[in-house]
Amino acid sequence: MEITLIAGLAILFITLVISIYLDIRNDRVYVFSKHIINCSYEEVQRVIYEDIDRAKQLYSRLDEIYNRNSYDEMLYSIRPLKVKYWFTEEEIKTFNLSDL
């Protein structure tokens, strides 16, 4: 009886810890995703005034950046939410992506 109670409490505690971790990670993934979208959109807006042809190319590649990694993939991954872990160097330079 006592072993069952202790095992049940241990499972409850582990579930609680995982739940809290996922809640915090969910908030951070949302902020990171929003930041990436804003950075890439601002870069396209900036380039529009300099070179319209390049802006069209960047605009056509926005979906590539937006859909590069799914929200669930970011949420359940152990990779840090840093640009260098989620995007290539070329994408970082092209879209002027930066960390928070």
Side-chain angles (χ1 to χ4, degrees):
M1 178 78 171
E2 290 178 18
I3 294 175
T4 306
L5 180 62
I6 292 172
L9 288 174
I11 291 171
L12 181 64
F13 179 74
I14 291 169
T15 304
L16 180 65
V17 168
I18 291 171
S19 228
I20 291 170
Y21 169 78
L22 286 177
D23 187 46
I24 293 169
R25 178 77 179 192
N26 184 48
D27 291 340
R28 291 182 180 171
V29 167
Y30 173 77
V31 170
F32 181 71
S33 299
K34 192 76 167 164
H35 176 71
I36 295 302
I37 290 169
N38 288 339
C39 281
S40 56
Y41 181 75
E42 286 171 5
E43 181 64 14
V44 171
Q45 292 298 314
R46 186 187 67 77
V47 171
I48 282 175
Y49 296 107
E50 296 173 4
D51 183 3
I52 192 69
D53 292 329
R54 183 166 174 255
K56 287 178 183 177
Q57 291 173 349
L58 287 179
Y59 187 76
S60 68
R61 291 186 59 202
L62 278 179
D63 282 341
E64 177 184 327
I65 293 296
Y66 295 164
N67 299 324
R68 174 95 160 139
N69 303 292
S70 72
Y71 195 86
D72 286 342
E73 183 181 353
M74 288 185 189
L75 179 63
Y76 298 115
S77 174
I78 59 171
R79 285 191 279 177
L81 294 172
K82 302 282 183 190
V83 171
K84 67 181 179 181
Y85 295 110
W86 294 96
F87 299 96
T88 65
E89 285 297 319
E90 189 248 334
E91 291 169 334
I92 293 170
K93 289 177 185 175
T94 302
F95 287 97
N96 197 23
L97 301 177
S98 63
D99 287 319
L100 294 172

